[in-house]
Amino acid sequence: MARRPPRDDHADPAGPGTPERARGAPRFGASTPRMENIRVTAPDLARRASVARTRGRLIWSGLGFCALFALLAVRLAIVTVLFPTLPPPARVAETSKTLAVELPKLAEPVEVAASSGRAPITDRNGQLLAVSLPTAEVYANPQEMADLDEVVAALHKAVPRIDPAPLRERLAREQARWQKAAAAPAAEPVAAKPEPDDAAEPPAGAEAKPKSFIYVARQITAREEMAINRLGIPGIYFRKTGLRSYPQGRAAAHVLGGVDVDQNGVAGVERAFDARLRSDPSALRLSIDLRVQTVVREELSAAMAEFSAIGATGMVFDVNTGEVIAMVSLPDYDANDFRRATNDERFNRAVTGMYEPGSTFKLQTVAMALDSGAVHLWDSFDAAHPIHIGRFTITDFEGKHRMLEVPEVLAYSSNLGAAHIAETVGGERQRAWLKSMGMFGRIGIQLPEAGRTLYPPVANWGEAATMTIGFGHGIAISPLHVVRATAAVANGGIVRPPTILALPPDAADPPGERVMSQQTSDVMRRLMRLVVTDGYGKPAEVAGYFVGGKTGTAEKVGNHGYKKHTNVAAFMSVFPMNAPRYAVYMMLDEPHATAATHGYATAAWTAAPSAGRVIARAAPMLGLFPQIEQAAAIQASLAIPLQPGRPAGAHAPSPP
């Protein structure tokens, strides 16, 4: 049986969930809802107050931004719709009147043509050698400035490289001149457009015109321009200009030359083609191959360091077109720091330096003799006895002390043999030959640094001059003279002017002047090859390239004659001799012997090996590869005996 739950006197008879009756109310029929007390703590009150304050601030901030945007919209409407270009005429008149009272009449800022549009320069393959980058320069109008000390201090702080003392002095000087001009009688004219401050000062005693253009800094960076502009200094202006940049640094410094602060060409290609680079925006394409240029510089630098030379030069030359593929002179400089380079660093030994060519000139003597018919290959010359002319004595360096035939004279580099050959040809024909080779004038390349050759006048061109010039002494020419003349000896007898500009890819070989017969050139190619296979040029041999050439070591001339043990060592080479294409010239100025050279500092030990390394590295870059499989047949076609022997019935040469 189910038990009745215990009675609860406090339970509402109407059932659970009904409102509880109030205390003191009737038991039935008078129930009211229950009331509860809730406690709010102090942190809750603080949090609620903070939220209310934040909401109020956001509302006020929003209203402030709305007001700012409204003001901005009004301002934009004024400057773009109501007055889009000029302020109201009344405002212009008021401003002009104020300036007329407070300041003297302002001169217009000097307008100088910008020079940032200089065309780029590339190598023959399109590699960038020089380019103009946009930059700016800052200048000041002293009339518009007040406290110069404050102005100069602010400029120096913004751009620390600005020298404050000279700038303060120039600004103060021009301010004084403008004040003097303003105080002068009205009839006295004042310059309307003063010249920049780099213009020449007037002669002593002459009245200088005031200037409104004072350079503050040139070639400033964008960051520096912004720093100066933020100063808000009256009288400070900017002018667009250019900064000449040379991405390759030292690689072709002497060829490129440099520009001055106004971007005017002052040396090298920059000077020679200054007008072209300013007027034609297309790139100027040079004949230089940057890859080969780098190879020549590396090998020349290594040789110069190994033999402690004071200088060096090297070139690669296309014997058929006259294009200079590489031209290096050491020491050199970073083309980006041209103005800081020393005179020795700027000196281009390839075209400015004049040196006695030494035994490399024997190629000219033998070619001249063979082409004139005065000498034949089988002719013999006395190399056993020194030649005495007045107080001069001609000898051989480690000579053979016997009669030498013409091939031997070249292979063993005999001074005595070359002197006798030159004497056989005669001074008159010798001068005519050298003139046809361009030895008596500037080299003719498009480089303004090309120097003048040194040679004796006709009145002094006697027997001694004829003999000594025959083996490369008594005449001073540039290394490029030697290269051009040797190219003519090897290319079939055509002398062509050298050029630093690249020819069109499909252009025919430029015209030249024939100076010898094709037959003479063919014989000379075989003789040049003989020098490398059997003579002193062996260190320049490169397998498969059939190198030909001639060593040359000449003592340098001092104040009192020749300086002993102070030489110029050079190696003049052409490859490949079966089909000549390129000439390579390497020269060291005052090389010193090392233990590896057994005490010798001659060209065979110093210059010839570096020429061989250049050929081995650069030839593949130029599209020439070693002909190994055909080597025997090619060498046989170039072979010539050291002693050809006189044919039956042939007579010995006789002096003219």
Side-chain angles (χ1 to χ4, degrees), residues 299-312 539 565 567 569 586-611 613:
E299 294 297 342
L300 205 61
S301 298
M304 184 176 168
E306 180 181 359
F307 300 108
S308 303
I310 66 171
H565 310 296
N567 302 327
M586 301 289 278
M587 183 269 275
L588 295 175
D589 191 352
E590 296 188 17
H592 293 78
T594 65
T597 64
H598 309 287
Y600 292 103
T602 56
W605 290 97
T606 60
S610 60
R613 289 191 292 268

mmCIF file of all heavy atoms in Angstrom, residues 299-312 539 565 567 569 586-611 613:
data_model
loop_
_atom_site.group_PDB
_atom_site.id
_atom_site.type_symbol
_atom_site.label_atom_id
_atom_site.label_comp_id
_atom_site.label_asym_id
_atom_site.label_seq_id
_atom_site.Cartn_x
_atom_site.Cartn_y
_atom_site.Cartn_z
ATOM 1 N N GLU A 299 95.739 37.433 -66.149
ATOM 2 C CA GLU A 299 97.058 36.884 -66.455
ATOM 3 C C GLU A 299 98.135 37.957 -66.357
ATOM 4 O O GLU A 299 99.252 37.694 -65.901
ATOM 5 C CB GLU A 299 97.053 36.264 -67.850
ATOM 6 C CG GLU A 299 96.164 35.042 -67.985
ATOM 7 C CD GLU A 299 96.623 33.883 -67.095
ATOM 8 O OE1 GLU A 299 97.784 33.885 -66.644
ATOM 9 O OE2 GLU A 299 95.801 32.976 -66.856
ATOM 10 N N LEU A 300 97.803 39.169 -66.773
ATOM 11 C CA LEU A 300 98.772 40.254 -66.693
ATOM 12 C C LEU A 300 99.058 40.609 -65.227
ATOM 13 O O LEU A 300 100.212 40.846 -64.853
ATOM 14 C CB LEU A 300 98.233 41.469 -67.444
ATOM 15 C CG LEU A 300 99.250 42.472 -68.000
ATOM 16 C CD1 LEU A 300 100.173 41.799 -69.002
ATOM 17 C CD2 LEU A 300 98.521 43.627 -68.664
ATOM 18 N N SER A 301 98.015 40.621 -64.408
ATOM 19 C CA SER A 301 98.201 40.922 -62.989
ATOM 20 C C SER A 301 99.057 39.859 -62.318
ATOM 21 O O SER A 301 99.928 40.177 -61.490
ATOM 22 C CB SER A 301 96.842 41.017 -62.290
ATOM 23 O OG SER A 301 96.061 42.057 -62.817
ATOM 24 N N ALA A 302 98.820 38.604 -62.668
ATOM 25 C CA ALA A 302 99.607 37.523 -62.075
ATOM 26 C C ALA A 302 101.076 37.626 -62.473
ATOM 27 O O ALA A 302 101.974 37.463 -61.635
ATOM 28 C CB ALA A 302 99.025 36.175 -62.499
ATOM 29 N N ALA A 303 101.344 37.909 -63.749
ATOM 30 C CA ALA A 303 102.723 38.042 -64.202
ATOM 31 C C ALA A 303 103.398 39.257 -63.587
ATOM 32 O O ALA A 303 104.574 39.222 -63.200
ATOM 33 C CB ALA A 303 102.767 38.131 -65.730
ATOM 34 N N MET A 304 102.662 40.341 -63.480
ATOM 35 C CA MET A 304 103.205 41.558 -62.888
ATOM 36 C C MET A 304 103.595 41.323 -61.430
ATOM 37 O O MET A 304 104.645 41.792 -60.964
ATOM 38 C CB MET A 304 102.173 42.674 -62.997
ATOM 39 C CG MET A 304 102.644 44.031 -62.513
ATOM 40 S SD MET A 304 101.368 45.293 -62.799
ATOM 41 C CE MET A 304 102.030 46.651 -61.832
ATOM 42 N N ALA A 305 102.758 40.587 -60.705
ATOM 43 C CA ALA A 305 103.065 40.289 -59.308
ATOM 44 C C ALA A 305 104.221 39.295 -59.196
ATOM 45 O O ALA A 305 105.099 39.446 -58.335
ATOM 46 C CB ALA A 305 101.818 39.737 -58.619
ATOM 47 N N GLU A 306 104.242 38.294 -60.067
ATOM 48 C CA GLU A 306 105.290 37.274 -59.997
ATOM 49 C C GLU A 306 106.675 37.854 -60.242
ATOM 50 O O GLU A 306 107.642 37.483 -59.568
ATOM 51 C CB GLU A 306 105.003 36.169 -61.020
ATOM 52 C CG GLU A 306 106.045 35.063 -61.026
ATOM 53 C CD GLU A 306 105.756 33.987 -62.059
ATOM 54 O OE1 GLU A 306 104.718 34.112 -62.762
ATOM 55 O OE2 GLU A 306 106.556 33.040 -62.171
ATOM 56 N N PHE A 307 106.760 38.807 -61.170
ATOM 57 C CA PHE A 307 108.069 39.356 -61.535
ATOM 58 C C PHE A 307 108.288 40.776 -61.019
ATOM 59 O O PHE A 307 109.222 41.447 -61.455
ATOM 60 C CB PHE A 307 108.232 39.307 -63.057
ATOM 61 C CG PHE A 307 108.153 37.907 -63.623
ATOM 62 C CD1 PHE A 307 107.041 37.503 -64.354
ATOM 63 C CD2 PHE A 307 109.159 36.992 -63.386
ATOM 64 C CE1 PHE A 307 106.947 36.216 -64.857
ATOM 65 C CE2 PHE A 307 109.080 35.688 -63.888
ATOM 66 C CZ PHE A 307 107.968 35.299 -64.617
ATOM 67 N N SER A 308 107.437 41.200 -60.098
ATOM 68 C CA SER A 308 107.600 42.497 -59.417
ATOM 69 C C SER A 308 107.790 43.636 -60.416
ATOM 70 O O SER A 308 108.659 44.501 -60.229
ATOM 71 C CB SER A 308 108.778 42.439 -58.441
ATOM 72 O OG SER A 308 108.605 41.399 -57.506
ATOM 73 N N ALA A 309 106.991 43.643 -61.465
ATOM 74 C CA ALA A 309 107.075 44.697 -62.473
ATOM 75 C C ALA A 309 106.368 45.950 -61.979
ATOM 76 O O ALA A 309 105.455 45.891 -61.150
ATOM 77 C CB ALA A 309 106.455 44.226 -63.788
ATOM 78 N N ILE A 310 106.791 47.111 -62.488
ATOM 79 C CA ILE A 310 106.166 48.375 -62.080
ATOM 80 C C ILE A 310 104.934 48.689 -62.918
ATOM 81 O O ILE A 310 104.150 49.575 -62.570
ATOM 82 C CB ILE A 310 107.161 49.547 -62.162
ATOM 83 C CG1 ILE A 310 107.556 49.795 -63.624
ATOM 84 C CG2 ILE A 310 108.377 49.288 -61.294
ATOM 85 C CD1 ILE A 310 108.362 51.079 -63.825
ATOM 86 N N GLY A 311 104.751 47.977 -64.016
ATOM 87 C CA GLY A 311 103.616 48.210 -64.884
ATOM 88 C C GLY A 311 103.511 47.112 -65.918
ATOM 89 O O GLY A 311 104.413 46.275 -66.057
ATOM 90 N N ALA A 312 102.407 47.103 -66.657
ATOM 91 C CA ALA A 312 102.212 46.071 -67.674
ATOM 92 C C ALA A 312 101.090 46.498 -68.600
ATOM 93 O O ALA A 312 100.266 47.350 -68.267
ATOM 94 C CB ALA A 312 101.871 44.728 -67.016
ATOM 95 N N PRO A 539 107.919 29.025 -74.730
ATOM 96 C CA PRO A 539 106.982 29.064 -73.588
ATOM 97 C C PRO A 539 105.574 29.533 -73.955
ATOM 98 O O PRO A 539 104.659 29.369 -73.151
ATOM 99 C CB PRO A 539 107.647 30.061 -72.629
ATOM 100 C CG PRO A 539 109.102 30.006 -72.965
ATOM 101 C CD PRO A 539 109.143 29.799 -74.445
ATOM 102 N N HIS A 565 120.015 46.397 -66.801
ATOM 103 C CA HIS A 565 119.148 45.506 -66.025
ATOM 104 C C HIS A 565 117.787 46.140 -65.720
ATOM 105 O O HIS A 565 117.125 45.772 -64.758
ATOM 106 C CB HIS A 565 119.833 45.082 -64.723
ATOM 107 C CG HIS A 565 121.224 44.564 -64.912
ATOM 108 N ND1 HIS A 565 121.492 43.407 -65.623
ATOM 109 C CD2 HIS A 565 122.430 45.061 -64.504
ATOM 110 C CE1 HIS A 565 122.794 43.200 -65.641
ATOM 111 N NE2 HIS A 565 123.377 44.196 -64.978
ATOM 112 N N ASN A 567 114.570 46.564 -67.940
ATOM 113 C CA ASN A 567 114.080 46.202 -69.264
ATOM 114 C C ASN A 567 112.571 46.334 -69.397
ATOM 115 O O ASN A 567 111.832 46.383 -68.405
ATOM 116 C CB ASN A 567 114.451 44.742 -69.584
ATOM 117 C CG ASN A 567 115.934 44.483 -69.522
ATOM 118 O OD1 ASN A 567 116.737 45.353 -69.842
ATOM 119 N ND2 ASN A 567 116.302 43.279 -69.096
ATOM 120 N N ALA A 569 109.971 43.888 -71.230
ATOM 121 C CA ALA A 569 109.916 42.547 -71.812
ATOM 122 C C ALA A 569 108.550 42.330 -72.437
ATOM 123 O O ALA A 569 107.519 42.481 -71.756
ATOM 124 C CB ALA A 569 110.183 41.491 -70.751
ATOM 125 N N MET A 586 101.668 40.869 -74.864
ATOM 126 C CA MET A 586 101.830 40.965 -73.412
ATOM 127 C C MET A 586 103.175 41.612 -73.120
ATOM 128 O O MET A 586 104.214 41.176 -73.643
ATOM 129 C CB MET A 586 101.750 39.592 -72.766
ATOM 130 C CG MET A 586 100.446 38.854 -73.016
ATOM 131 S SD MET A 586 99.022 39.554 -72.155
ATOM 132 C CE MET A 586 99.212 38.822 -70.552
ATOM 133 N N MET A 587 103.163 42.640 -72.272
ATOM 134 C CA MET A 587 104.388 43.376 -71.959
ATOM 135 C C MET A 587 104.474 43.662 -70.459
ATOM 136 O O MET A 587 103.476 44.020 -69.834
ATOM 137 C CB MET A 587 104.437 44.691 -72.738
ATOM 138 C CG MET A 587 105.712 45.506 -72.527
ATOM 139 S SD MET A 587 105.592 46.685 -71.159
ATOM 140 C CE MET A 587 104.824 48.070 -71.976
ATOM 141 N N LEU A 588 105.670 43.492 -69.899
ATOM 142 C CA LEU A 588 105.939 43.814 -68.505
ATOM 143 C C LEU A 588 107.000 44.908 -68.456
ATOM 144 O O LEU A 588 108.026 44.830 -69.134
ATOM 145 C CB LEU A 588 106.433 42.581 -67.748
ATOM 146 C CG LEU A 588 105.422 41.423 -67.617
ATOM 147 C CD1 LEU A 588 106.083 40.221 -66.959
ATOM 148 C CD2 LEU A 588 104.195 41.855 -66.837
ATOM 149 N N ASP A 589 106.712 45.919 -67.648
ATOM 150 C CA ASP A 589 107.617 47.053 -67.495
ATOM 151 C C ASP A 589 108.502 46.825 -66.272
ATOM 152 O O ASP A 589 108.020 46.776 -65.141
ATOM 153 C CB ASP A 589 106.784 48.332 -67.338
ATOM 154 C CG ASP A 589 107.628 49.595 -67.450
ATOM 155 O OD1 ASP A 589 108.869 49.490 -67.502
ATOM 156 O OD2 ASP A 589 107.039 50.696 -67.486
ATOM 157 N N GLU A 590 109.794 46.661 -66.518
ATOM 158 C CA GLU A 590 110.811 46.423 -65.496
ATOM 159 C C GLU A 590 110.530 45.165 -64.669
ATOM 160 O O GLU A 590 110.422 45.206 -63.433
ATOM 161 C CB GLU A 590 110.955 47.627 -64.568
ATOM 162 C CG GLU A 590 111.448 48.885 -65.264
ATOM 163 C CD GLU A 590 111.775 50.010 -64.290
ATOM 164 O OE1 GLU A 590 111.938 49.717 -63.075
ATOM 165 O OE2 GLU A 590 111.863 51.160 -64.737
ATOM 166 N N PRO A 591 110.420 43.997 -65.327
ATOM 167 C CA PRO A 591 110.268 42.752 -64.563
ATOM 168 C C PRO A 591 111.595 42.366 -63.903
ATOM 169 O O PRO A 591 112.669 42.759 -64.357
ATOM 170 C CB PRO A 591 109.866 41.742 -65.635
ATOM 171 C CG PRO A 591 110.513 42.260 -66.882
ATOM 172 C CD PRO A 591 110.468 43.760 -66.780
ATOM 173 N N HIS A 592 111.501 41.604 -62.822
ATOM 174 C CA HIS A 592 112.676 41.141 -62.100
ATOM 175 C C HIS A 592 112.746 39.612 -62.163
ATOM 176 O O HIS A 592 111.716 38.931 -62.135
ATOM 177 C CB HIS A 592 112.649 41.600 -60.647
ATOM 178 C CG HIS A 592 112.781 43.088 -60.495
ATOM 179 N ND1 HIS A 592 111.725 43.955 -60.712
ATOM 180 C CD2 HIS A 592 113.848 43.852 -60.153
ATOM 181 C CE1 HIS A 592 112.132 45.196 -60.505
ATOM 182 N NE2 HIS A 592 113.411 45.167 -60.170
ATOM 183 N N ALA A 593 113.956 39.112 -62.224
ATOM 184 C CA ALA A 593 114.154 37.673 -62.303
ATOM 185 C C ALA A 593 113.758 37.003 -60.988
ATOM 186 O O ALA A 593 113.751 37.612 -59.920
ATOM 187 C CB ALA A 593 115.615 37.371 -62.629
ATOM 188 N N THR A 594 113.415 35.731 -61.093
ATOM 189 C CA THR A 594 113.094 34.918 -59.924
ATOM 190 C C THR A 594 113.931 33.642 -59.973
ATOM 191 O O THR A 594 114.623 33.360 -60.959
ATOM 192 C CB THR A 594 111.606 34.563 -59.897
ATOM 193 O OG1 THR A 594 111.311 33.717 -61.022
ATOM 194 C CG2 THR A 594 110.742 35.817 -59.975
ATOM 195 N N ALA A 595 113.844 32.867 -58.901
ATOM 196 C CA ALA A 595 114.576 31.605 -58.872
ATOM 197 C C ALA A 595 114.080 30.679 -59.974
ATOM 198 O O ALA A 595 114.868 29.922 -60.562
ATOM 199 C CB ALA A 595 114.406 30.949 -57.503
ATOM 200 N N ALA A 596 112.778 30.756 -60.277
ATOM 201 C CA ALA A 596 112.220 29.888 -61.310
ATOM 202 C C ALA A 596 112.726 30.240 -62.698
ATOM 203 O O ALA A 596 112.724 29.391 -63.597
ATOM 204 C CB ALA A 596 110.697 29.954 -61.276
ATOM 205 N N THR A 597 113.150 31.492 -62.914
ATOM 206 C CA THR A 597 113.648 31.906 -64.226
ATOM 207 C C THR A 597 115.173 31.861 -64.296
ATOM 208 O O THR A 597 115.744 32.341 -65.275
ATOM 209 C CB THR A 597 113.170 33.331 -64.549
ATOM 210 O OG1 THR A 597 113.736 34.251 -63.609
ATOM 211 C CG2 THR A 597 111.654 33.413 -64.496
ATOM 212 N N HIS A 598 115.798 31.308 -63.257
ATOM 213 C CA HIS A 598 117.255 31.127 -63.241
ATOM 214 C C HIS A 598 118.001 32.448 -63.419
ATOM 215 O O HIS A 598 119.060 32.498 -64.057
ATOM 216 C CB HIS A 598 117.685 30.139 -64.330
ATOM 217 C CG HIS A 598 116.914 28.849 -64.303
ATOM 218 N ND1 HIS A 598 117.097 27.884 -63.331
ATOM 219 C CD2 HIS A 598 115.919 28.387 -65.114
ATOM 220 C CE1 HIS A 598 116.261 26.868 -63.550
ATOM 221 N NE2 HIS A 598 115.540 27.154 -64.632
ATOM 222 N N GLY A 599 117.433 33.504 -62.874
ATOM 223 C CA GLY A 599 118.106 34.791 -62.918
ATOM 224 C C GLY A 599 117.835 35.609 -64.161
ATOM 225 O O GLY A 599 118.388 36.701 -64.304
ATOM 226 N N TYR A 600 116.972 35.116 -65.052
ATOM 227 C CA TYR A 600 116.664 35.856 -66.273
ATOM 228 C C TYR A 600 115.340 36.617 -66.110
ATOM 229 O O TYR A 600 114.394 36.128 -65.505
ATOM 230 C CB TYR A 600 116.544 34.915 -67.472
ATOM 231 C CG TYR A 600 117.839 34.265 -67.870
ATOM 232 C CD1 TYR A 600 118.096 32.925 -67.542
ATOM 233 C CD2 TYR A 600 118.805 34.973 -68.577
ATOM 234 C CE1 TYR A 600 119.284 32.319 -67.909
ATOM 235 C CE2 TYR A 600 119.999 34.369 -68.946
ATOM 236 C CZ TYR A 600 120.238 33.046 -68.609
ATOM 237 O OH TYR A 600 121.424 32.450 -68.971
ATOM 238 N N ALA A 601 115.279 37.815 -66.698
ATOM 239 C CA ALA A 601 114.055 38.609 -66.717
ATOM 240 C C ALA A 601 113.694 38.995 -68.142
ATOM 241 O O ALA A 601 113.028 40.002 -68.373
ATOM 242 C CB ALA A 601 114.212 39.850 -65.857
ATOM 243 N N THR A 602 114.132 38.202 -69.104
ATOM 244 C CA THR A 602 113.858 38.491 -70.510
ATOM 245 C C THR A 602 112.447 38.051 -70.878
ATOM 246 O O THR A 602 111.756 37.367 -70.117
ATOM 247 C CB THR A 602 114.865 37.760 -71.407
ATOM 248 O OG1 THR A 602 114.817 36.356 -71.115
ATOM 249 C CG2 THR A 602 116.278 38.279 -71.163
ATOM 250 N N ALA A 603 112.000 38.446 -72.069
ATOM 251 C CA ALA A 603 110.626 38.199 -72.492
ATOM 252 C C ALA A 603 110.296 36.715 -72.572
ATOM 253 O O ALA A 603 109.162 36.316 -72.284
ATOM 254 C CB ALA A 603 110.382 38.863 -73.842
ATOM 255 N N ALA A 604 111.269 35.891 -72.960
ATOM 256 C CA ALA A 604 111.007 34.463 -73.081
ATOM 257 C C ALA A 604 110.615 33.849 -71.741
ATOM 258 O O ALA A 604 109.828 32.895 -71.693
ATOM 259 C CB ALA A 604 112.233 33.757 -73.647
ATOM 260 N N TRP A 605 111.141 34.408 -70.661
ATOM 261 C CA TRP A 605 110.860 33.870 -69.330
ATOM 262 C C TRP A 605 109.666 34.555 -68.659
ATOM 263 O O TRP A 605 109.024 33.972 -67.783
ATOM 264 C CB TRP A 605 112.085 34.019 -68.428
ATOM 265 C CG TRP A 605 113.221 33.127 -68.798
ATOM 266 C CD1 TRP A 605 114.310 33.454 -69.558
ATOM 267 C CD2 TRP A 605 113.368 31.756 -68.448
ATOM 268 N NE1 TRP A 605 115.139 32.359 -69.698
ATOM 269 C CE2 TRP A 605 114.573 31.304 -69.020
ATOM 270 C CE3 TRP A 605 112.610 30.857 -67.710
ATOM 271 C CZ2 TRP A 605 115.035 30.003 -68.866
ATOM 272 C CZ3 TRP A 605 113.064 29.554 -67.549
ATOM 273 C CH2 TRP A 605 114.263 29.138 -68.130
ATOM 274 N N THR A 606 109.360 35.775 -69.019
ATOM 275 C CA THR A 606 108.354 36.552 -68.284
ATOM 276 C C THR A 606 107.069 36.778 -69.071
ATOM 277 O O THR A 606 105.973 36.543 -68.556
ATOM 278 C CB THR A 606 108.937 37.910 -67.871
ATOM 279 O OG1 THR A 606 109.328 38.648 -69.047
ATOM 280 C CG2 THR A 606 110.153 37.736 -66.969
ATOM 281 N N ALA A 607 107.166 37.268 -70.298
ATOM 282 C CA ALA A 607 105.983 37.654 -71.060
ATOM 283 C C ALA A 607 105.408 36.518 -71.899
ATOM 284 O O ALA A 607 104.186 36.405 -72.039
ATOM 285 C CB ALA A 607 106.300 38.850 -71.958
ATOM 286 N N ALA A 608 106.274 35.681 -72.486
ATOM 287 C CA ALA A 608 105.793 34.627 -73.379
ATOM 288 C C ALA A 608 104.870 33.627 -72.675
ATOM 289 O O ALA A 608 103.826 33.257 -73.229
ATOM 290 C CB ALA A 608 106.976 33.912 -74.019
ATOM 291 N N PRO A 609 105.193 33.158 -71.458
ATOM 292 C CA PRO A 609 104.271 32.207 -70.812
ATOM 293 C C PRO A 609 102.880 32.788 -70.571
ATOM 294 O O PRO A 609 101.871 32.090 -70.738
ATOM 295 C CB PRO A 609 104.978 31.881 -69.490
ATOM 296 C CG PRO A 609 106.414 32.191 -69.726
ATOM 297 C CD PRO A 609 106.419 33.360 -70.660
ATOM 298 N N SER A 610 102.813 34.062 -70.185
ATOM 299 C CA SER A 610 101.493 34.656 -69.939
ATOM 300 C C SER A 610 100.697 34.791 -71.235
ATOM 301 O O SER A 610 99.469 34.648 -71.237
ATOM 302 C CB SER A 610 101.646 36.020 -69.256
ATOM 303 O OG SER A 610 102.379 36.915 -70.063
ATOM 304 N N ALA A 611 101.383 35.050 -72.350
ATOM 305 C CA ALA A 611 100.687 35.102 -73.637
ATOM 306 C C ALA A 611 100.080 33.746 -73.980
ATOM 307 O O ALA A 611 98.945 33.662 -74.479
ATOM 308 C CB ALA A 611 101.649 35.557 -74.732
ATOM 309 N N ARG A 613 99.088 31.472 -71.856
ATOM 310 C CA ARG A 613 97.930 31.236 -70.992
ATOM 311 C C ARG A 613 96.711 32.023 -71.463
ATOM 312 O O ARG A 613 95.574 31.539 -71.372
ATOM 313 C CB ARG A 613 98.289 31.585 -69.544
ATOM 314 C CG ARG A 613 99.260 30.603 -68.898
ATOM 315 C CD ARG A 613 99.369 30.845 -67.403
ATOM 316 N NE ARG A 613 100.023 32.109 -67.096
ATOM 317 C CZ ARG A 613 101.327 32.242 -66.900
ATOM 318 N NH1 ARG A 613 102.128 31.177 -67.004
ATOM 319 N NH2 ARG A 613 101.849 33.412 -66.596
#
